[in-house]
């Protein structure tokens, strides 16, 4: 907030495209299939979009965009006019200050001499946009001249309440005394208050505080009662182009020196042609004093190449010219803005549902964008006050509407796809089902050889539990157990092959193969064992106890693919590697371990907490398998001694073997798995495998 007074401190669609779904049907499907909570959230989002489209001028950051767009409209649609012959500016400029040698307060004798001449030139009225808020030695000269004025003369007045940053208490006291000393029927006070927006740009007429005299434009010329308190936009004018690179200013601006010199009758008559019948505004046109940004300042002036500011005196001249022309732009009514906000958001939402050829969708989009760009300029040019028109808010509201309804539509589509994927998931693993949803051609009967990591699990004691409790309890416990192990597999990027009772079969390396499949498979095998242990610890009281979850892991080639018939298929893996993993899982019981990992899988597990459990011949298998188990509870030295024990047996180094066995028996005599390892090694010769029963 400030005054304007010069202070004394001076793509084309394919031809076989499916028939478009009618918009009404898509909208009905959206409402009926979205679900109550999601529908409520979508409606809430749409309400927010409407509020943005209605109140964007009051939203932080968005208001800056609205102001920039308004300035563009005000500049592009500003009337280009010839020089206004009704208004004359007479100004102190920097040359005047240099010539008089007086800068602050301004030379009042110079003003008194100019007023004496102007008073005899037939001006309609005189407005002086200078605050006399501090004393000068020549005050009496100016006061006498003001009391003698025959032309209606209006002196700038301001007060501290509405301009705390412009005038302080002592200045206001002096200003009031000065005005009282010169007040006559012809010489009166006028308010020069102007208001700037938060970005320090003047766009609107100011308010009229009741304790201030009439605003300068209202004081100089009659104003109808309906617009005596008009606060709409100021209509800024631009000069018509007189010739290439030349413009005649909208308001003539003459230095006050020209009117302050002594004049004879002939000279005065010559100057009177510039003054007679005009409103004369006197003030400062001084660099860095009383300069304001207007909507026209945002853009570079084509002649000067600069962002030009406007002196406060000229702002009053624009307002006076607007008042004289009766150009009172009125804003769009609030009810109409609400209707437009709702329509804009609906347009965005419905656009997201359009199911037409791409060129028609693009055309609809471009047409709406053209509306957002062109309509505000069009209504501004038709004399509508667009300082409250939410042009940027409409675009944001449209975008929010498009996003809200489009997201809801995608949610419904995702649910439909999820339903179809769930149906496939009854026969296929979820990740394979998702891949088939993306590429249905993969739903064919074929297999391919892949190197995969296979995991088999089994829950010890579940069969006994199923006979000792109710079927409902069995079903609940089994579902919870399988759910936990399934989460482990999926979290580690594995494919769940099948459930066989309480057993889980999973593999890594198909349908997608990754470099870290071995590490993830080993981590998953360990995590599945741990999940099983946690599950049995958390069993409710009264439920028969369960044993450990045994896990077997092996890597090898298998045939992976969709197997079955045309009526029913299953995505699975077949081959010796699957059988070996299954036998490893079974071998845990005899070896008194929880996890058995083949040497081939252990080599690619990327872990240092595995210990060898010797070479064994699995049940039903002829080829021996070197095995490892997970023992993070042992120290690195202990794991090293176990590895040395197995290595000594493999090489036939009896001395080293005995040394290691003796040390381990002393350290781990209570460890059943290690003691049975030593027992098995004792029963076999160099490099031989232990045949599981």
């Amino acid at each position: 907030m400030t005054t304007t007074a010069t202070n004394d401190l001076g793509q084309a669609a394919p031809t076989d495209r499916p028939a478009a779904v009618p918009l009404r049907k898509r909208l009905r499907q959206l409402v009926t299939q979205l679900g109550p909570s999601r529908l409520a959230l979508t409606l809430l989002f749409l309400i927010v979009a409407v509020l943005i489209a209605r109140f964007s001028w009051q939203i932080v950051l968005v208001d800056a965009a609205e102001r920039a767009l308004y300035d563009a409209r005000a500049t592009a649609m500003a009337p280009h006019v010839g020089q206004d012959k009704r208004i004359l500016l007479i100004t102190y400029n920097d040359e005047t200050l240099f010539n008089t040698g007086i800068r602050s307060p301004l030379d009042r004798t110079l003003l008194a001499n100019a007023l004496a001449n102007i008073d005899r030139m037939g001006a309609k009225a005189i407005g002086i946009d200078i605050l006399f808020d501090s004393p000068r030695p020549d005050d009496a000269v100016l006061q006498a001249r003001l009391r003698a004025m025959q032309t209606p003369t209006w002196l700038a007045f301001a007060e501290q309440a509405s301009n705390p940053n412009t005038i302080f208490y002592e200045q206001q006291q002096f200003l009031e005394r000065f005005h009282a000393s010169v007040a006559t029927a012809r010489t009166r006070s006028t308010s020069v208050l102007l208001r700037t927006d938060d970005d320090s740009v003047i766009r609107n007429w100011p308010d009229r505080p009741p304790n201030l005299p009439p605003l300068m434009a209202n004081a100089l010329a009659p104003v109808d009662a309906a617009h005596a308190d008009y606060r709409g936009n100021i209509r800024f004018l631009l000069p018509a182009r007189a010739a290439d690179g030349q413009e005649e200013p909208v308001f003539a601006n003459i230095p006050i020196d020209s009117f302050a010199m002594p004049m004879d009758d002939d000279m005065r008559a010559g100057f009177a042609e510039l003054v007679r019948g005009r409103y004369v505004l006197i003030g400062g046109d001084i660099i860095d004093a009383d300069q304001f940004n207007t909507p026209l300042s945002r853009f570079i002036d084509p002649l000067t190449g600069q962002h030009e500011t406007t002196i406060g005196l000229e702002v009053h001249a624009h307002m006076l010219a607007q008042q004289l022309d009766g150009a009172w732009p009125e804003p769009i009514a609030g009810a109409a803005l609400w209707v437009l906000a709702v329509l804009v958001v609906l347009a965005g939402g419905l656009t997201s549902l359009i199911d037409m050829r791409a060129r028609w969708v693009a055309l609809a989009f471009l047409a709406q964008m053209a509306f957002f760009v062109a309509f505000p300029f069009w209504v501004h040019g038709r004399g509508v006050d667009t300082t409250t028109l939410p042009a940027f808010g409409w675009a944001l509201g449209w975008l929010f509407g498009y996003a809200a309804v489009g997201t809801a539509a995608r949610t419904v589509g995702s649910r439909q796809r999820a339903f179809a994927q769930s149906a496939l998931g009854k026969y296929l693993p979820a990740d394979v089902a998702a891949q088939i949803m993306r590429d249905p051609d993969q739903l064919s009967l074929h297999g391919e050889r892949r190197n995969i990591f296979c995991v088999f699990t089994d829950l010890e004691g579940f069969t006994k539990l199923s006979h000792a409790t109710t079927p409902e309890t069995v079903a609940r416990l089994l579902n919870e157990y399988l759910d936990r192990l399934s989460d482990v597999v999926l979290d580690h990027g594995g494919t769940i092959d099948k459930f066989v009772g309480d057993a889980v079969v999973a593999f890594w390396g198909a349908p997608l193969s990754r470099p870290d499949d071995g590490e993830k498979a080993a981590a998953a095998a360990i995590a599945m064992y741990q999940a099983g242990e946690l599950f049995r610890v958390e069993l409710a009281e009264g439920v028969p106890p369960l044993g450990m979850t045994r896990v077997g892991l092996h890597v090898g080639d298998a045939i992976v693919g969709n197997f079955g018939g045309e009526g029913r298929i299953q995505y699975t893996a077949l081959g010796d590697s699957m059988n070996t993993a299954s036998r490893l899982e079974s071998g845990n019981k005899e070896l008194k371990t929880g996890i058995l990992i083949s040497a081939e899988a252990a080599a690619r597990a990327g872990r240092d907490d595995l210990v060898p459990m010797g070479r064994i011949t699995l049940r039903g298998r002829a080829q021996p398998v070197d095995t490892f188990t997970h023992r993070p509870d042992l120290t690195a030295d202990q794991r090293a001694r176990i590895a040395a024990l197995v290595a000594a047996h493999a090489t036939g180094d009896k001395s080293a073997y005995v040394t290691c066995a003796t040390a381990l028996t002393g350290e781990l005599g209570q460890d059943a798995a290690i003691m049975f390892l030593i027992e098995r090694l004792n029963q076999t010769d160099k490099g031989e495998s232990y045949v599981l029963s």
Side-chain angles (χ1 to χ4, degrees):
M1 127 179 78
T2 185
T3 64
T4 67
T6 300
N7 192 282
D8 282 338
L9 297 175
Q11 292 177 359
T15 57
D16 58 348
R17 184 182 186 276
V21 179
L23 185 60
R24 181 181 300 178
K25 182 177 180 179
R26 294 202 67 191
L27 190 59
R28 184 171 62 252
Q29 290 175 341
L30 182 65
V31 173
T32 57
Q33 298 179 20
L34 193 56
S37 59
R38 186 73 190 191
L39 180 60
L41 185 62
T42 301
L43 291 176
L44 178 62
F45 207 76
L46 290 174
I47 291 173
V48 172
V50 171
L51 293 176
I52 291 174
R54 175 63 182 86
F55 295 112
S56 57
W57 276 89
Q58 286 78 47
I59 300 175
V60 178
L61 298 181
V62 179
D63 60 344
E66 293 291 8
R67 288 167 178 162
L69 290 175
Y70 172 80
D71 294 346
R73 294 192 296 272
T75 301
M77 307 308 293
H80 288 256
V81 298
Q83 192 168 95
D84 194 326
K85 304 301 182 183
R86 302 167 298 179
I87 301 170
L88 173 66
L89 306 184
I90 297 178
T91 58
Y92 287 81
N93 57 28
D94 290 278
E95 187 176 352
T96 303
L97 304 186
F98 180 81
N99 292 334
T100 61
I102 301 172
R103 185 171 187 88
S104 176
L106 295 174
D107 189 337
R108 292 176 185 172
T109 301
L110 188 71
L111 176 59
N113 293 337
L115 288 175
N117 288 322
I118 296 169
D119 193 30
R120 301 171 61 184
M121 295 180 182
K124 280 190 174 182
I126 300 171
I128 301 176
D129 187 17
I130 300 171
L131 288 176
F132 303 112
D133 56 5
S134 56
R136 265 194 55 80
D138 52 356
D139 279 347
V141 176
L142 179 58
Q143 289 169 328
R145 181 64 260 166
L146 289 172
R147 285 191 293 268
M149 292 297 292
Q150 298 301 307
T151 305
T153 302
W154 299 87
L155 302 182
F157 182 83
E159 50 91 30
Q160 193 177 21
S162 57
N163 290 276
N165 297 323
T166 301
I167 186 171
F168 55 85
Y169 177 77
E170 289 78 10
Q171 287 179 308
Q172 183 178 339
Q173 294 300 304
F174 182 86
L175 181 64
E176 290 175 354
R177 291 194 299 271
F178 189 95
H179 277 241
S181 70
V182 299
T184 66
R186 300 281 185 177
T187 301
R188 287 166 286 178
S189 301
T190 181
S191 169
V192 289
L193 176 69
L194 289 178
R195 302 288 191 189
T196 61
D197 291 335
D198 293 340
D199 57 352
S200 301
V201 177
I202 293 179
R203 296 183 179 90
N204 294 303
W205 285 63
D207 57 320
R208 320 301 202 271
N211 53 325
L212 286 181
L215 189 65
M216 179 173 284
N218 300 155
L220 288 171
V223 59
D224 59 278
H227 297 97
D229 194 33
Y230 178 75
R231 300 186 191 182
N233 67 297
I234 299 173
R235 184 200 63 181
F236 288 98
L237 303 173
L238 286 173
R241 184 61 54 86
D244 289 342
Q246 296 182 353
E247 290 178 347
E248 186 179 44
V250 175
F251 305 108
N253 185 336
I254 301 176
I256 194 171
D257 314 53
S258 302
F259 290 90
M261 65 181 69
M263 295 184 182
D264 56 23
D265 291 340
D266 291 338
M267 186 177 183
R268 186 176 296 108
F271 275 93
E273 296 297 322
L274 301 174
V275 175
R276 186 176 297 110
R278 296 192 183 192
Y279 296 95
V280 177
L281 277 64
I282 301 175
D285 186 3
I286 303 167
I287 296 174
D288 296 330
D290 200 32
Q291 300 283 342
F292 289 89
N293 289 309
T294 71
L296 308 181
S297 305
R298 185 177 292 273
F299 305 97
I300 295 176
D301 185 277
L303 291 184
T304 65
Q306 303 291 327
H307 293 276
E308 296 293 336
T309 56
T310 302
I311 59 173
L313 189 70
E314 189 173 352
V315 174
H316 285 292
H318 283 284
M319 295 166 65
L320 177 58
Q322 181 177 349
Q323 177 177 308
L324 294 174
D325 293 336
W328 305 111
E330 294 295 335
I332 297 177
L337 288 177
W338 276 111
V339 171
L340 286 169
V342 172
L343 290 177
V344 162
V345 173
L346 286 178
L350 294 177
T351 301
S352 70
L353 297 178
I354 293 178
D355 184 20
M356 301 172 64
R357 295 185 182 275
R359 62 174 176 268
W360 296 114
V361 175
L363 184 62
F365 174 79
L366 291 175
Q368 293 176 83
M369 294 304 102
F371 168 81
F372 293 136
V373 173
F375 180 73
F377 283 86
W378 181 78
V379 296
H380 190 102
R382 301 281 293 180
V384 174
D385 181 358
T386 61
T387 52
T388 59
L389 189 147
F392 190 71
W394 285 347
L396 281 182
W398 186 94
L399 183 62
F400 274 52
Y402 184 94
V405 177
T407 301
R410 285 190 293 275
T411 299
V412 171
S414 297
R415 288 178 178 175
Q416 293 172 341
R417 288 190 296 274
F419 176 79
Q421 185 172 331
S422 175
L424 285 174
K426 296 180 184 296
Y427 305 95
L428 302 173
D431 54 347
V432 179
Q435 187 168 334
I436 290 174
M437 289 295 294
R438 292 191 297 270
D439 185 8
D441 290 342
Q442 295 192 36
L443 196 62
S444 57
L445 302 180
H446 71 278
E448 58 180 338
R449 182 175 296 277
R450 302 290 288 271
N451 188 255
I452 62 173
F453 291 81
C454 314
V455 169
F456 272 72
T457 73
D458 186 60
L459 179 57
E460 186 178 27
F462 190 80
T463 301
K464 181 179 178 181
L465 180 145
S466 65
H467 291 99
T469 188
T470 63
E472 292 80 8
T473 302
V474 172
R476 177 178 59 80
L477 292 175
L478 181 60
N479 285 334
E480 182 181 350
Y481 173 76
L482 294 177
D483 189 49
R484 293 191 185 192
L485 266 62
S486 298
D487 287 344
V488 171
V489 173
L490 297 177
D491 289 345
H492 288 79
T495 297
I496 299 174
D497 186 337
K498 63 177 74 71
F499 302 117
V500 183
D502 57 83
V504 177
V505 183
F507 52 82
W508 281 254
L512 300 176
S513 177
R514 303 176 181 87
D516 59 351
D517 281 337
E519 297 173 11
K520 287 188 174 180
I526 295 168
M528 293 170 82
Y529 169 79
Q530 294 170 341
E533 290 297 285
L534 181 62
F535 175 76
R536 69 170 178 158
V537 169
E538 294 177 349
L539 283 176
E541 293 185 7
V543 177
L546 291 170
M548 71 171 66
T549 294
R550 298 190 295 262
V551 183
L553 169 62
H554 180 59
V555 61
D557 289 343
I559 305 299
V560 183
N562 299 312
F563 299 96
E566 292 295 340
R568 187 184 187 281
I569 64 173
Q570 180 179 3
Y571 186 85
T572 188
L574 305 174
D576 184 69
S577 60
M578 299 290 285
N579 296 330
T580 301
S582 176
R583 297 295 187 270
L584 285 170
E585 176 273 311
S586 300
N588 280 292
K589 184 175 183 180
E590 189 168 349
L591 270 59
K592 307 181 188 325
T593 55
I595 305 172
L596 270 185
I597 304 174
S598 68
E600 294 85 351
R604 297 167 63 181
R607 307 186 68 90
D608 59 4
D609 53 4
L610 303 180
V611 296
M613 294 304 291
R615 180 172 296 173
I616 60 175
T617 299
L618 298 168
R619 186 175 54 188
R621 314 295 299 168
Q623 184 70 28
V625 178
D626 290 316
T627 59
F628 287 75
T629 193
H630 180 238
R631 293 300 301 267
D633 56 312
L634 301 180
T635 66
D637 289 341
Q638 290 171 332
R639 289 195 291 268
R641 279 193 288 274
I642 295 171
L645 173 76
V646 174
H649 178 272
T651 60
D653 187 345
K654 292 185 178 182
S655 175
Y657 172 78
V658 171
T659 301
C660 291
T662 302
L664 288 171
T665 301
E667 288 185 66
L668 303 173
Q670 303 301 315
D671 192 308
I674 301 303
M675 290 301 97
F676 186 60
L677 169 63
I678 296 174
E679 180 183 337
R680 287 186 283 113
L681 295 177
N682 288 338
Q683 296 176 13
T684 56
D685 294 330
K686 168 186 174 181
E688 287 184 347
S689 66
Y690 181 83
V691 180
L692 298 183
S693 61

